[in-house]
Amino acid sequence: MARPLARSLAPLTEESLPGLILRLAHRLERSPARIAELCGLNGHQNRLSAHYLMALPDDLTQAFAISSHLHTDEVRTLTLSCFASAYPPLGSVRLDGSRNTAAARKMWAAGLSRSYCPACLAGDGSTVQNLYGGPWRLRWHLPVSFACTAHHRLLARSCPQCDGTPNQPANTERQGLITQRTTSGLHPAQCRHLATSDGAGQRRPAAMCAARLDRPQAAAILSGCDLRQLIALQARIDRHLLPGPHSLTVTGPGPDPGFFPDLIAAAQLIRLAWPESARFAPSALLAELIDRHLASAAEQRAALAPGQHARHTWAAPTDPLECGALLVTADCLLGENASDDSGLVERVQPLAVAAFTRHPANIGAALRRMDFSPHLARALAPRLNGFYRAGGHRPAVRVPSRHSTFSIDHVPARSFPRSGSSPTSAPF
Ligand SMILES: [Zn+2]
Ligand SMILES: [Zn+2]
């Protein structure tokens, strides 16, 4: 039975569950594992389950709320479940164990390891953040987070001292909610990687890297124009993730359930149709970054043993800069007016042709798993159905011609009707 902790902390805005546990551990001078135990979160074999990042079961939500002096609603905002309705890829994933983690990455759902903004971790100057650090933000676990709009910078991926990725174990330790969870005495913003050698090359297997991740770091080399474009897209993504009172006015458009599926499907198409798709990259440097990402993905595939599955083929780029470059290019492909079908068809069809002729074997399976809006489905459909016929499968996407009146019967299976194109608002 969980008992209230002697002292607790109110969650910071957008703080994640592992982030709050790290701050509680620092405040109470205990290890994160001990805090989890005191809060009733220790599960089977004393593990701190990675799945808790997605959602806490009701009994554990209750226990954690009692221990940490919080309301159960506050506890629920610490897990990715609060993005589930806004971010469709989160819908069906589990994050528990390396296989599920790889599957979650493939679906563009979420990752246990995370990018971070050093300035956010440094805190906002308030007393509580000066003492216990700023927030590890929940949305940094989503692959569509690549920049911090508050600090106008790209997220950092790794520790500047040891190059380790936060919460990505370098050894055989199973990836859980918090890496090296039994280690106490670290600030929440300190690197929890084991440093295997010191500067002189001597092995020091037990020492922590412990570098502070909340110190100023060199910013990515981008032109002001590229950076502005990446930040603008991130701001739009954030508005879709966290629809607040400012983004959803009574008269304005409602949340667009096709936004993320289309953005992700367009990003996959950009990769499959590279280099023909390079012309949609807003600058030569951004195209070069996508090129770099594709080259390293190809290297990873080449290094696979026969029979091993290429898990990373569809995963979002792990580097925030490369991911931002890919998404901003995908956004240019989709164009500003998603309902302008003829423009979209003109842009998408040549890429679909390039993608289908180059990757006939796996593209159908991959696209079958993907969700997208009727607009993108229409732009892709002739190629998709052509492929399915060629491959001997029945067409999986039923799409009306652009001239027909749109009804719910025409929405392809597993895709989302865009706001404004629902049957109730269609001009019958
Ligand atoms: Zn920031
Ligand atoms: Zn480090």
Side-chain angles (χ1 to χ4, degrees), residues 116-121 137 140 147-153 155:
Y116 63 97
C117 169
C120 283
L121 290 182
R137 292 192 195 280
W140 293 341
C148 174
T149 55
H151 298 106
H152 208 76
R153 58 157 295 150
L155 299 184

Side-chain angles (χ1 to χ4, degrees), residues 51-85:
H51 192 61
Y52 296 164
L53 180 65
M54 304 296 298
L56 274 181
D58 283 345
D59 55 333
L60 298 191
T61 301
Q62 204 77 42
F64 190 80
I66 293 169
S67 310
S68 55
H69 311 250
L70 300 178
H71 194 273
T72 48
D73 285 345
E74 284 179 297
V75 177
R76 289 196 185 94
T77 64
L78 298 167
T79 64
L80 290 171
S81 60
C82 66
F83 291 130
S85 60

Side-chain angles (χ1 to χ4, degrees), residues 262-283:
D262 279 7
L263 191 63
I264 293 166
Q268 304 295 34
L269 191 59
I270 294 282
R271 295 203 284 200
L272 291 165
W274 197 262
E276 283 86 340
S277 50
R279 63 198 162 90
F280 292 101
S283 75

Side-chain angles (χ1 to χ4, degrees), residues 18-354:
L20 180 60
I21 293 174
L22 287 174
R23 288 195 313 125
L24 286 171
H26 183 51
R27 174 155 202 211
L28 295 166
E29 298 176 342
R30 299 282 185 277
S31 71
R34 178 67 182 143
I35 294 294
E37 192 185 340
L38 291 170
C39 293
L41 294 189
N42 268 13
H44 182 58
Q45 294 179 335
N46 225 16
R47 285 185 58 226
L48 187 46
S49 169
H51 192 61
Y52 296 164
L53 180 65
M54 304 296 298
L56 274 181
D58 283 345
D59 55 333
L60 298 191
T61 301
Q62 204 77 42
F64 190 80
I66 293 169
S67 310
S68 55
H69 311 250
L70 300 178
H71 194 273
T72 48
D73 285 345
E74 284 179 297
V75 177
R76 289 196 185 94
T77 64
L78 298 167
T79 64
L80 290 171
S81 60
C82 66
F83 291 130
S85 60
Y87 190 62
L90 282 174
S92 59
V93 295
R94 280 186 62 80
L95 267 187
D96 206 357
S98 59
R99 255 186 82 202
N100 291 323
T101 306
R105 280 193 54 219
K106 196 164 78 178
M107 312 267 291
W108 286 60
L112 281 166
S113 52
R114 57 224 157 168
S115 307
Y116 63 97
C117 169
C120 283
L121 290 182
D124 62 359
S126 63
T127 309
V128 71
Q129 295 199 28
N130 283 346
L131 283 169
Y132 310 117
W136 281 96
R137 292 192 195 280
L138 197 49
R139 72 170 107 144
W140 293 341
H141 289 278
L142 301 179
V144 290
S145 277
F146 52 84
C148 174
T149 55
H151 298 106
H152 208 76
R153 58 157 295 150
L154 270 291
L155 299 184
R157 174 66 186 162
S158 56
C159 165
Q161 185 166 289
C162 73
D163 206 30
T165 304
N167 211 41
Q168 172 89 59
N171 52 19
T172 53
E173 182 191 342
R174 187 173 175 172
Q175 194 172 21
L177 194 65
I178 295 173
T179 193
Q180 304 294 342
R181 64 188 188 281
T182 55
T183 302
S184 54
L186 290 179
H187 185 276
Q190 272 184 297
C191 174
R192 303 184 75 85
H193 272 270
L194 285 174
T196 49
S197 66
D198 61 18
Q202 297 296 307
R203 289 187 73 77
R204 291 182 313 170
M208 279 281 160
C209 165
R212 292 286 289 244
L213 305 177
D214 54 355
R215 303 284 187 249
Q217 293 181 25
I221 310 158
L222 281 176
S223 73
C225 183
D226 283 350
L227 183 62
R228 271 195 301 282
Q229 213 161 344
L230 287 167
I231 298 285
L233 176 60
Q234 185 69 70
R236 207 141 50 82
I237 286 172
D238 292 352
R239 280 198 298 278
H240 280 90
L241 282 177
L242 306 160
H246 304 297
S247 58
L248 288 182
T249 58
V250 179
T251 53
D256 181 353
F259 177 79
F260 287 116
D262 279 7
L263 191 63
I264 293 166
Q268 304 295 34
L269 191 59
I270 294 282
R271 295 203 284 200
L272 291 165
W274 197 262
E276 283 86 340
S277 50
R279 63 198 162 90
F280 292 101
S283 75
L285 177 62
L286 293 174
E288 209 176 289
L289 287 163
I290 299 173
D291 214 41
R292 189 176 82 184
H293 157 65
L294 289 170
S296 68
E299 264 173 41
Q300 283 177 11
R301 273 200 302 279
L304 290 175
Q308 245 183 322
H309 288 296
R311 282 179 179 168
H312 304 297
T313 308
W314 296 97
T318 50
D319 179 80
L321 187 53
E322 291 173 0
C323 196
L326 180 62
L327 288 176
V328 87
T329 305
D331 188 52
C332 290
L333 170 64
L334 291 173
E336 273 179 19
N337 184 3
S339 56
D340 170 19
D341 279 0
S342 58
L344 189 63
V345 169
E346 266 169 42
R347 293 190 298 274
V348 163
Q349 286 275 309
L351 300 192
V353 171

